[in-house]
Amino acid sequence: MDIRFNGKAIPIQEGDTVASALYRAGQRIFTRSFKYHRPRGLLCCSGHCPNCLMNVDGIPNVRTCITPARAGMAVKHQNARPSLDFDYLAIAQQFDWMMPVGWYYKNFTNPRMWHLAEAQIRKVAGLGDPPPPDAPEAVYEHAHMQAGVAVIGAGPAGLNAAREAASQGERVVVVDDQPRTTPGDSSYTLLSRSYCFGLYEGNLLGVLQSEPHSGARERLVHIRAKRIVVATGAYEAPLTFKNNDLPGIMLSTAVWRLIHRHGIQPGTSAVIISNETGDSAIAAELRNVGIAVVATVPPSDVLEATGSKHVTGLRTRRGAFACDLVVMCGHRIPDAGLLSQAGAKLEWSAEAGAFVPTELPPNITAVGDVAHALVRAASTLVSMPNKRTFVCFCNDVTSQDICDSVAEGFDHIELLKRYTTTTMGPCQGRMCQLQAIGICARETGRAIQETGVTTSRPPNPGVTLGALGGARHHPIRRTPMHYQHEELGAVWMDMGDWKRPRYYKSAQTERESILREYHAVRQAVGVIDVSTLGKLSLKGRDSGKLLDKVYTNRFSDLKPGRVRYAVLCDEAGIILDDGTISRPLADARGYNTGDPGGTRSVAPSVSAGTIDDFFITTTTGNLDFVEQWLEWWLAGAGWDVQINNLTSALAAVNLAGPKAREVLSALTSCGLSNAEFPYMACRNAEVAGVPALLMRIGFVGETGWEIHYPAESGEHLWSALMDAGRPFGICPFGVEAQRLLRLEKRHVIVGVDTDALTSPYEAGMAWVVKHDKADFIGKFALGKLESAQAQQSLVGFTMNANQIPEDGAAILVNGALAGRVTSARYSPAVEKAIGLAWVTAGAAAEGAQIEIRVAGAPVRATVTQRVFYDPDGARLRM
Amino acid sequence: MTERMWRPRSLQSSYDVVIIGAGIHGLATAYYLGKRHGVKKIALLDKGYLGSGNSGRNTAILRSNYRTPEGIPFYDASVKLYEQMSQELGWNVLFSQCGHLTLAHTDSSLIGLRVRAENNQVLGVDSKLIFPDEIKRMVPAIDISSRARFPIMAALYHPPGGVIRHDAVVWGYARACDRMDIEIHPYTEVTGIRVEKGRALCVATTRGNVAAGAVLNVTAGWASTISKMAGVPLPIVSHQLQACVTEPLKPFLDKVIVSATLHVYVNQTDKGELVLGAEIDPYQSYSMRSTLPTLEQIAGHTLDLFPQLHGLRVLRQWAGVCDMTPDYAPIIGRAEEVENFYMDVGWGTYGFKAGPIAGQCTAELIATGKTPALIQAFSPGRFRAGRLVGEKAAAAVSS
Amino acid sequence: MKRSALHRWHEKAGATLAEENGWYVPLRYSNAEQEAGAVRGSVGICDLSHLHEPLSPYARFLIAGPNTRAVLSKLTSLNLDLTKAYGSVAHVRSLVTRHELGFLLMIPRDYAESVWESLLHAGEEFHITVFGLEASRRLEA
Ligand SMILES: Cc1cc2nc3c(=O)[nH]c(=O)nc-3n(C[C@H](O)[C@H](O)[C@H](O)COP(=O)(O)OP(=O)(O)OC[C@H]3O[C@@H](n4cnc5c(N)ncnc54)[C@H](O)[C@@H]3O)c2cc1C
Ligand code: FES
């Protein structure tokens, strides 16, 4: 059983972490430091410090000291070239005088110099190598839990709290980062190898679980708890003295773990730095495994460590001691990050030598070391300025740097943090925050309490993007006829979550395919799936009232059996959405009857409905908004209206073209003649045996019907139309052909031709605003806009020559910016490119000459307000 | 002997100009008042430490590829001031003009980008549309494949865009102000403004009252609370905006990447960390407590662009309070109701890049009483007159 | 004949389809007894969209078996102790109600396939099975 380290086989044992296996195999340097590339070795063995980060199986910056070793793992060092033992960039230490704190702010003030310098800095910056773009993906997932009590930390205090809560009948979840197994009395649920990284609003805990099962790398568990018990204990942080970062200088917890968890003897002769007088517990541990304890010295007596790539001794006021292991009994710091995220205050306790949490928010308690800080100060926090006394291991910030910064005026802990970058490294300040505060307090002459801590921010510890992102299934919305489109060769486009056929690939090129669809509609018959339209039904006595209030035109007077175009504006008179509103026919009693002649079918929108019913369509993207908008204006009005969202319940198609009537008549007994079913009428009828609501409307400019019918019959009716249409050359058409067809009719698409500032007046749709209505949303603003001089107008244009501008092209008048093209296409009817454009008021006159940028060069075009195809609408009424 | 960046001062009883808020907008205004107009008796008051507002929380993306004829020259002028800033202040603000890419994943955003490219080109700002192959060449780490739910269709490439070290800008201005004896007073919260006969006379603070010749409100997320003190209504609502930063990786991404469809932006600092930002949270809030769902969205969308980064850890997440106006354009000018009360607010999610030029224009307005042409479109009166600025489409993606 | 939003999925998965009340319904994918056993032993999902009120915007899935909650809790933050809850399931706003065999999911029809796939993915660790009406009848018996 091996892992591979830089290609070399390293044996592993049961219970090994990657770091313990490497240490046993003799590895002492695990990383090179961020700025000076100093050698660094194991320090905390608890996943708290930055000293053991390596690349494991292609993933950079992995904490090897808490990563279980598994046979076959590929481990590589990072941030050292060519090797950890010999790193060219270690030369940086010799130039530290060039790089005092904030050196980059004070140099390269010439932009060109900075440009050059930055390129060099970027060559050496960073830690791990980014995985290549084709690196394998991994499985991550989310999960959610509800708990009565969540306990963070399964130490004695946490487990006590858990048992107690469980005995009171609470549902208890315990979270712990160690690999533990639930003891016999599983009165609580244990998430082991899981750490809590954030405590968010509403008692939401973010918990990261490693390898929840063999198929997933990590799982992010969201726990909502009524009560939270924080039992995270305390962790140990290093002491500051010269060369305190040499490999071989370890925290006592690290030494303990190497010995007890991994059966490793971490050195041969050790010096212990501890405030405890007499024989400390750790000394006994060391002797037990055969390590000679050379001396125990208090922190205040330590002068410096010696050695270059590994510690060789410790110089103290009590003399110099040779050793290959220095054990720091460091500061014990209550792990109170979660509490302070939740809003607890951290207060300095001189006797504990620690910041302890106070003023806990309701439903959050703290137990054990994190709360009581029965911990004892390891040492005074004072360390003298020195360029080799490391405060922040992650970012190579020394005590000298901190003192210098304070002297420069960065004397608030938040400023100090940002200027020196202390606490901003991968360990998130665990190893350095307290020391930095101590030095800041001394240098400013303020008390530690007054100096304060920096804001604790989640996630802490850090969380992978993968775990945060979760399974990452982007939902896809498919219409009922999705797979029929696919069989017909649809080329898809995304509209929100929807997939819609952009066109059907029926010819060599996209352009030819679209033209084929276009000509089918103009000359024979075409059918398009419009199921993505928003569909709402309104029932109740006051439906007409609500529509009059919310839409700019009038609907209360809409005759049964009729359809009307509808525009919706906000209070500022800006167009928000458009669509159609139909009022199905009703019988003498006021009930909907279905088709005028018969009693056979009851159409979907109006089943068991009455004369008060309306059926609204909205644009694809705005359904949710329109539904909420209607609900919003209905709320509190006391009106009798029920709004029902039928979007997913109904499929819809638009059948259009000179042969549309013939195709449809093969499938329905509903009278389709102009007399029976005039333009802008609606009827309920069966089509191919399916109850449907038919509207005779004409977005694309040909005789046609929009048919709404139950989604479960989506494929059936589509097939029936295709079959019935085959003799007439029916052709399914997609969004692109539809856009071209409607452009020739100069129909506006809200959101394409309008934007967040468009009013109906500027869009040339003054007729949709009915000012004689009592009140409606936007009335006041629209009243003002009606009389105001429009600053810009939506106009049509025809290119003078053969170029085709792109959507979005700029419009120039006398060389100055004067507008933009919203839609432009080659029009087979006009035999030139045509389009819609916003132009400044001065350029909006009929026949005005404008210039449109095509491939960057201005090209002439003529403004027109006329409809490009069938201006009288004769074809709609054929 | 180390030189102090700025000196602690005692609060005096009266100033020519009292600036409320020592973020970039307050500092820049003070700097230009001192430097160009010789106004020196200025106090900058801030309730927190220097840069504790959004000026120390933003993702520091600078660009001028806006959409409207009002916005483009304004932001362009700001980027140009940034280009000279290190030299002018004698302090490196680490402006990295690495280039900025706004991605389009849908037809409609592609058209929106084309409008910007076109308008930028006409008005002399360097920006153009590029397509997936070129995007991939520029940013080899990005996923342009069609396996993405919303594949990348195009990008607006804006070479002068980039990122800056926001704190360095704040500190650089503060130092320059201090050198001109402009006073900076951190931990001095404004609690009230006394207005009589249409003039602001005196500003009440937690450290005492100060009389003021002119008062400037540059408090971003708190803009409406301050203006309420002076009895000046503002059409501003506050929303939270969040961002986060990851562990450092060796530099592999030297462009700023923004995606409107995915509501995310990504850049890699000179230290190697990725800075990731989001869209504003949908509901109004003054909270600075960050949230998990937003972090999850940022992460998920970052992985849509860079799937290989799944193992990279996020280290810190934070939030700022953004002052949003109805048309996504700022409000700069003198209050109609109070003759010596000025404002430079409504900077929402995009105001860091505008700091220098807004400061320069606001200083000119305060010192001369004349509104510079560059900020005329942003006047407080435009809402009443119904002359909104159409920047929503270009500014909507924060930054 | 009426088709559920998963009709094509069932076909592709080799389901034996039959007619019931004018709908195509999946009777079984392989063997009803095995399907029922797999559900009893772990977890399975079944398309019940044909039990449908007229004009319903929803597809209906039944998720059943001892690991039902474990699967669902990977896709939703809804409190599954409630008898009825409305909220996001696999990023889609849905209605979740208790059912004697597990939970009934009402998913907007156009998102049905997307959520179905998410359920299968989330259930992989439990070897989730799809089951037809025959198995569901056995389970109910
Ligand atoms: C996460 C995030 C990302 C962003 N990204 C970008 C970006 O990439 N590019 C960009 O251009 N912009 C960005 N922005 C926006 C940008 O940060 C702000 O628009 C800009 O910093 C505003 O500067 P300011 O000086 O107006 O306000 P601030 O820097 O917020 O300063 C206002 C100051 O007023 C003080 N104050 C408030 N109330 C009082 C009081 N009563 N008394 C005294 N002082 C008071 C505050 O303490 C604060 O320091 C982002 C914002 C956020 C939050
Ligand atoms: S030691 Fe890790 S951030 Fe300072």
Side-chain angles (χ1 to χ4, degrees):
Chain A
M1 293 251 290
D2 300 328
I3 57 172
R4 309 225 128 232
F5 177 56
N6 291 334
K8 208 173 76 198
I10 304 282
I12 57 176
Q13 294 181 7
E14 177 75 26
D16 256 344
T17 61
V18 171
S20 66
L22 291 175
Y23 196 93
R24 186 181 299 104
Q27 189 68 30
R28 290 297 175 266
I29 303 178
F30 279 68
T31 49
R32 288 279 173 160
S33 71
F34 190 75
K35 182 170 164 188
Y36 299 124
H37 286 251
R38 284 172 65 89
R40 297 272 164 87
L42 294 184
L43 173 65
C44 76
C45 281
S46 320
H48 286 156
C49 81
N51 281 15
C52 67
L53 302 188
M54 290 187 181
N55 184 305
V56 177
D57 288 337
I59 296 184
N61 301 343
V62 173
R63 285 138 184 77
T64 53
C65 75
I66 50 168
T67 304
R70 208 164 305 115
M73 262 180 173
V75 180
K76 277 194 257 169
H77 78 268
Q78 52 182 41
N79 200 35
R81 246 181 298 171
S83 70
L84 284 170
D85 269 340
F86 181 77
D87 179 2
Y88 288 121
L89 285 171
I91 191 95
Q93 292 175 72
Q94 254 81 82
F95 293 94
D96 60 353
W97 53 273
M98 275 175 62
M99 298 186 281
V101 65
W103 62 281
Y104 32 84
Y105 299 125
K106 297 164 189 162
N107 290 287
F108 319 117
T109 52
N110 176 310
R112 231 165 312 127
M113 293 286 296
W114 168 237
H115 190 71
L116 297 175
E118 189 185 19
Q120 298 308 314
I121 290 174
R122 286 184 86 92
K123 279 193 189 139
V124 298
L127 286 178
D129 288 317
D134 55 358
E137 294 193 25
V139 177
Y140 296 87
E141 56 189 35
H142 283 182
H144 302 267
M145 290 174 92
Q146 276 86 19
V149 179
V151 180
I152 319 299
L159 287 185
N160 262 340
R163 283 193 205 99
E164 199 181 305
S167 72
Q168 288 158 10
E170 292 282 6
R171 193 197 292 176
V172 180
V173 180
V174 180
V175 177
D176 195 87
D177 57 359
Q178 297 301 314
R180 290 178 200 261
T181 40
T182 324
D185 70 322
S186 49
S187 56
Y188 51 84
T189 311
L190 176 76
L191 296 181
S192 88
R193 297 203 59 207
S194 302
Y195 61 86
C196 178
F197 60 82
L199 201 172
Y200 294 90
E201 201 82 47
N203 276 7
L204 172 66
L205 295 165
V207 171
L208 195 282
Q209 189 178 16
S210 303
E211 294 175 57
H213 56 91
S214 61
R217 181 164 186 258
E218 289 173 341
R219 165 189 281 179
L220 196 167
V221 189
H222 305 69
I223 305 179
R224 279 238 186 242
K226 292 202 197 77
R227 198 154 66 74
I228 293 171
V229 179
V230 176
T232 41
Y235 58 86
E236 196 179 18
L239 306 172
T240 38
F241 50 88
K242 189 173 171 195
N243 292 330
N244 59 339
D245 65 329
L246 279 175
I249 304 180
M250 288 188 213
L251 290 167
S252 67
T253 34
V255 171
W256 191 92
R257 282 191 181 196
L258 285 178
I259 295 173
H260 286 274
R261 291 242 169 108
H262 306 299
I264 291 175
Q265 181 186 324
T268 54
S269 56
V271 177
I272 299 172
I273 309 178
S274 169
N275 254 344
E276 271 178 70
T277 44
D279 206 25
S280 57
I282 192 78
E285 302 271 359
L286 294 175
R287 285 202 195 93
N288 263 346
V289 293
I291 301 174
V293 176
V294 181
T296 298
V297 292
S300 49
D301 279 359
V302 178
L303 295 174
E304 69 171 318
T306 52
S308 58
K309 288 188 178 166
H310 196 271
V311 67
T312 54
L314 195 69
R315 273 204 331 112
T316 75
R317 287 183 222 284
R318 302 178 178 190
F321 305 99
C323 61
D324 62 356
L325 177 67
V326 172
V327 183
M328 292 184 282
C329 296
H331 305 284
R332 300 271 303 162
I333 300 182
D335 198 348
L338 292 174
L339 293 165
S340 80
Q341 282 170 31
K345 299 267 166 312
L346 293 182
E347 206 161 274
W348 177 249
S349 153
E351 90 203 87
F355 280 94
V356 291
T358 62
E359 298 179 33
L360 302 192
N363 298 318
I364 296 182
T365 47
V367 298
D369 284 358
V370 68
H372 305 299
L374 286 177
V375 292
R376 203 151 53 82
S379 75
T380 50
L381 294 169
V382 181
S383 67
M384 286 305 147
N386 186 292
K387 286 203 237 173
R388 290 286 180 273
T389 299
F390 286 87
V391 174
C392 181
F393 283 55
C394 289
N395 288 338
D396 269 355
V397 183
T398 65
S399 60
Q400 181 77 50
D401 294 334
I402 303 234
C403 295
D404 290 349
S405 306
V406 172
E408 285 177 44
F410 297 92
D411 52 5
H412 182 276
I413 192 71
E414 293 283 357
L415 289 176
L416 187 64
K417 157 180 159 183
R418 286 164 174 76
Y419 187 58
T420 61
T421 71
T422 305
T423 75
M424 298 178 90
C427 90
Q428 297 166 283
R430 274 170 197 260
M431 295 293 108
C432 61
Q433 156 137 253
L434 188 62
Q435 289 292 347
I437 294 168
I439 300 175
C440 181
R442 185 197 58 204
E443 294 292 303
T444 56
R446 293 191 206 114
I448 289 196
Q449 175 64 32
E450 197 191 333
T451 303
V453 291
T454 57
T455 316
S456 165
R457 301 184 193 283
N460 187 350
V463 188
T464 59
L465 292 172
L468 289 165
R472 302 206 308 115
H473 278 179
H474 289 288
I476 297 177
R477 243 179 139 171
R478 296 177 177 89
T479 77
M481 292 82 98
H482 183 89
Y483 290 99
Q484 287 170 314
H485 303 319
E486 198 148 281
E487 286 157 4
L488 288 163
V491 174
W492 298 103
M493 73 185 283
D494 291 303
M495 275 194 182
D497 288 346
W498 287 108
K499 290 274 180 199
R500 292 196 72 186
R502 183 187 291 280
Y503 65 95
Y504 300 83
K505 192 159 173 36
S506 63
Q508 275 300 310
T509 65
E510 170 171 354
R511 194 181 129 84
E512 287 168 57
S513 302
I514 293 166
L515 279 178
R516 215 184 84 109
E517 295 169 19
Y518 165 89
H519 286 300
V521 175
R522 287 281 182 253
Q523 286 154 22
V525 57
V527 59
I528 180 170
D529 181 352
V530 293
S531 303
T532 61
L533 287 175
K535 306 172 211 86
L536 300 170
S537 93
L538 252 56
K539 291 179 187 298
R541 247 180 305 115
D542 301 314
S543 300
K545 239 197 234 173
L546 178 65
L547 293 172
D548 281 356
K549 164 97 190 163
V550 168
Y551 284 86
T552 57
N553 32 5
R554 194 189 306 274
F555 290 95
S556 50
D557 68 351
L558 185 65
K559 292 207 181 63
R562 301 294 298 174
V563 187
R564 194 169 278 168
Y565 179 63
V567 168
L568 188 135
C569 288
D570 67 7
E571 290 97 325
I574 308 270
I575 300 178
L576 296 177
D577 196 47
D578 72 345
T580 60
I581 296 182
S582 337
R583 188 168 204 176
L585 278 172
D587 71 6
R589 295 161 302 146
Y591 284 93
N592 287 124
T593 58
D595 57 314
T599 51
R600 302 182 339 152
S601 66
V602 179
S605 65
V606 291
S607 49
T610 74
I611 189 163
D612 298 318
D613 296 348
F614 290 86
F615 181 74
I616 307 178
T617 62
T618 76
T619 58
T620 297
N622 280 338
L623 164 72
D624 290 343
F625 166 77
V626 175
E627 187 184 2
Q628 282 162 24
W629 186 254
L630 288 167
E631 296 280 7
W632 166 263
W633 289 102
L634 182 59
W639 290 345
D640 171 28
V641 183
Q642 297 94 48
I643 301 167
N644 209 347
N645 183 347
L646 297 176
T647 306
S648 300
L650 296 175
V653 295
N654 193 339
L655 180 76
K659 304 285 183 208
R661 181 177 288 113
E662 282 163 83
V663 174
L664 191 54
S665 64
L667 300 175
T668 182
S669 60
C670 179
L672 299 176
S673 69
N674 275 331
E676 293 165 291
F677 204 146
Y679 180 58
M680 294 309 269
C682 65
R683 299 286 181 266
N684 301 107
E686 260 182 24
V687 180
V690 178
L693 173 67
L694 288 82
M695 301 171 204
R696 185 161 169 204
I697 52 180
F699 190 52
V700 296
E702 301 293 340
T703 296
W705 282 267
E706 192 169 284
I707 309 170
H708 294 256
Y709 61 101
E712 57 269 23
S713 301
E715 293 203 348
H716 169 75
L717 200 148
W718 176 273
S719 304
L721 285 170
M722 294 296 286
D723 290 344
R726 200 155 295 123
F728 302 95
I730 196 169
C731 186
F733 65 104
V735 174
E736 271 303 320
Q738 186 195 35
R739 291 213 167 152
L740 167 59
L741 290 157
R742 68 88 202 185
L743 190 61
E744 291 188 332
K745 288 296 290 178
R746 214 191 164 290
H747 288 149
V748 168
I749 300 180
V750 168
V752 172
D753 303 303
T754 68
D755 62 23
L757 293 178
T758 306
S759 79
Y761 296 104
E762 298 170 319
M765 302 197 294
W767 53 273
V768 301
V769 185
K770 296 287 181 278
H771 279 290
D772 54 347
K773 281 196 295 180
D775 185 28
F776 60 94
I777 296 160
K779 179 171 183 176
F780 177 73
L782 287 165
K784 289 217 304 195
L785 287 167
E786 186 182 23
S787 52
Q789 167 74 36
Q791 292 180 10
Q792 49 166 8
S793 311
L794 187 63
V795 297
F797 66 83
T798 310
M799 298 304 287
N800 295 2
N802 285 327
Q803 300 87 351
I804 308 176
E806 299 202 76
D807 298 355
I811 290 177
L812 306 174
V813 172
N814 300 328
L817 197 56
R820 68 185 158 94
V821 171
T822 62
S823 314
R825 296 284 185 279
Y826 172 78
S827 160
V830 179
E831 297 184 329
K832 287 235 170 58
I834 59 166
L836 287 169
W838 284 100
V839 295
T840 47
E846 185 70 31
Q849 292 296 301
I850 52 175
E851 287 178 324
I852 299 179
R853 276 166 50 99
V854 179
V859 174
R860 302 207 140 262
T862 305
V863 169
T864 177
Q865 292 292 11
R866 275 196 289 273
V867 173
F868 301 101
Y869 175 80
D870 184 29
D872 308 325
R875 297 184 65 89
L876 290 169
R877 296 180 177 83
M878 272 189 346
Chain B
M1 184 54 216
T2 356
E3 197 188 13
R4 269 191 83 92
M5 296 282 292
W6 44 76
R7 290 155 287 174
R9 317 252 186 178
S10 53
L11 195 64
Q12 300 176 41
S13 59
S14 155
Y15 294 91
D16 294 342
V17 183
V18 170
I19 298 179
I20 310 173
I24 181 171
H25 283 266
L27 286 160
T29 308
Y31 172 76
Y32 285 109
L33 276 171
K35 184 159 179 247
R36 295 218 168 164
H37 304 284
V39 182
K40 295 283 158 72
K41 235 175 139 8
I42 303 172
L44 277 153
L45 312 180
D46 202 291
K47 64 177 175 147
Y49 61 90
L50 200 56
S52 55
N54 288 350
S55 296
R57 293 168 188 275
N58 63 84
T59 42
I61 299 171
L62 308 187
R63 60 185 178 87
S64 58
N65 58 352
Y66 274 68
R67 179 176 168 120
T68 64
E70 298 84 21
I72 295 164
F74 177 80
Y75 291 102
D76 189 37
S78 210
V79 167
K80 296 212 163 100
L81 288 176
Y82 269 122
E83 285 169 356
Q84 310 157 7
M85 186 178 280
S86 296
Q87 244 164 343
E88 184 170 337
L89 300 179
W91 174 263
N92 189 357
V93 291
L94 315 189
F95 184 15
S96 157
Q97 279 188 296
C98 54
H100 180 285
L101 294 180
T102 314
L103 306 176
H105 310 248
T106 64
D107 290 58
S108 59
S109 57
L110 169 57
I111 295 169
L113 295 187
R114 186 174 291 114
V115 171
R116 283 164 62 188
E118 289 274 298
N119 291 359
N120 290 170
Q121 287 165 21
V122 172
L123 294 173
V125 163
D126 189 1
S127 88
K128 64 171 185 197
L129 277 186
I130 60 172
F131 295 90
D133 288 346
E134 198 172 346
I135 297 172
K136 184 76 181 172
R137 237 173 289 131
M138 232 176 246
V139 188
I142 206 165
D143 180 15
I144 55 162
S145 73
S146 56
R147 71 191 159 143
R149 173 67 180 86
F150 296 104
I152 295 169
M153 294 169 70
L156 182 64
Y157 175 47
H158 177 47
V163 287
I164 203 162
R165 176 94 175 94
H166 52 25
D167 287 331
V169 175
V170 167
W171 300 334
Y173 269 141
R175 187 174 79 142
C177 286
D178 186 79
R179 298 290 178 276
M180 290 188 281
D181 280 326
I182 291 169
E183 297 179 13
I184 302 169
H185 294 283
Y187 300 102
T188 310
E189 180 167 355
V190 171
T191 54
I193 299 171
R194 203 166 95 217
V195 177
E196 270 172 32
K197 301 207 187 88
R199 274 190 73 81
L201 298 181
C202 170
V203 173
T205 82
T206 45
R207 288 170 61 208
N209 293 353
V210 289
V215 177
L216 172 64
N217 176 9
V218 267
T219 52
W222 293 270
S224 30
T225 60
I226 295 290
S227 89
K228 211 175 284 160
M229 293 177 190
V232 175
L234 275 183
I236 282 182
V237 291
S238 288
H239 285 256
Q240 206 185 44
L241 180 68
Q242 304 191 39
C244 66
V245 65
T246 71
E247 291 176 338
L249 287 179
K250 294 276 168 220
F252 67 99
L253 174 67
D254 61 2
K255 297 276 178 288
V256 179
I257 308 290
V258 178
S259 163
T261 312
L262 303 178
H263 306 301
V264 70
Y265 46 95
V266 183
N267 77 273
Q268 190 177 24
T269 67
D270 288 344
K271 259 182 82 182
E273 302 153 326
L274 292 195
V275 177
L276 313 173
E279 190 50 273
I280 50 168
D281 291 342
Y283 37 84
Q284 289 186 30
S285 156
Y286 281 97
S287 169
M288 294 225 256
R289 187 163 171 194
S290 45
T291 64
L292 185 52
T294 302
L295 183 62
E296 291 176 356
Q297 265 161 31
I298 297 177
H301 288 144
T302 303
L303 293 177
D304 290 340
L305 300 174
F306 302 100
Q308 71 273 30
L309 298 183
H310 58 83
L312 185 63
R313 289 152 55 111
V314 174
L315 289 187
R316 278 188 304 286
Q317 174 194 10
W318 65 92
V321 180
C322 291
D323 40 339
M324 310 299 296
T325 60
D327 59 357
Y328 281 64
I331 303 176
I332 316 180
R334 186 165 61 192
E336 294 179 332
E337 300 81 357
V338 182
E339 63 175 274
N340 62 339
F341 187 75
Y342 297 84
M343 63 196 98
D344 166 23
V345 296
W347 284 111
T349 61
Y350 47 85
F352 198 80
K353 67 177 76 63
I357 192 66
Q360 186 181 306
C361 292
T362 308
E364 186 177 335
L365 171 65
I366 296 175
T368 67
K370 292 196 199 77
T371 305
L374 274 181
I375 57 170
Q376 254 153 21
F378 307 134
S379 76
R382 74 174 181 277
F383 300 98
R384 196 170 318 150
R387 280 196 314 274
L388 304 194
V389 183
E391 245 353 313
K392 197 161 184 166
V397 178
S398 326
S399 82
Chain C
M1 285 264 271
K2 298 174 184 173
R3 295 176 174 192
S4 105
L6 290 175
H7 183 79
R8 299 291 186 124
W9 193 95
H10 299 323
E11 274 183 354
K12 240 184 280 165
T16 307
L17 295 163
E19 195 210 313
E20 199 160 293
N21 297 327
W23 287 73
Y24 283 113
V25 295
L27 290 182
R28 73 193 90 83
Y29 298 86
S30 53
N31 171 304
E33 191 50 55
Q34 273 168 19
E35 287 168 22
V39 175
R40 280 194 206 98
S42 182
V43 59
I45 49 176
C46 173
D47 179 14
L48 295 178
S49 298
H50 63 287
L51 303 174
H52 165 106
E53 298 125 41
L55 266 190
S56 164
Y58 295 112
R60 290 172 176 242
F61 306 159
L62 172 64
I63 175 165
N67 285 319
T68 291
R69 278 168 182 265
V71 173
L72 274 184
S73 73
K74 289 170 77 168
L75 298 174
T76 181
S77 60
L78 289 174
N79 185 346
L80 299 175
D81 294 336
L82 304 173
T83 46
K84 199 171 195 167
Y86 183 66
S88 159
V89 175
H91 308 294
V92 174
R93 310 218 343 116
S94 311
L95 187 68
V96 181
T97 49
R98 291 263 201 110
H99 181 277
E100 52 186 312
L101 295 178
F103 289 89
L104 205 56
L105 310 181
M106 311 260 280
I107 314 287
R109 201 193 136 99
D110 2 271
Y111 283 115
E113 190 178 329
S114 183
V115 174
W116 183 262
E117 297 281 359
S118 294
L119 285 163
L120 290 174
H121 185 261
E124 259 167 33
E125 74 173 285
F126 306 105
H127 307 287
I128 194 169
T129 186
V130 285
F131 63 103
L133 289 189
E134 287 178 1
S136 97
R137 278 170 197 144
R138 265 165 225 249
L139 290 164
E140 264 164 33

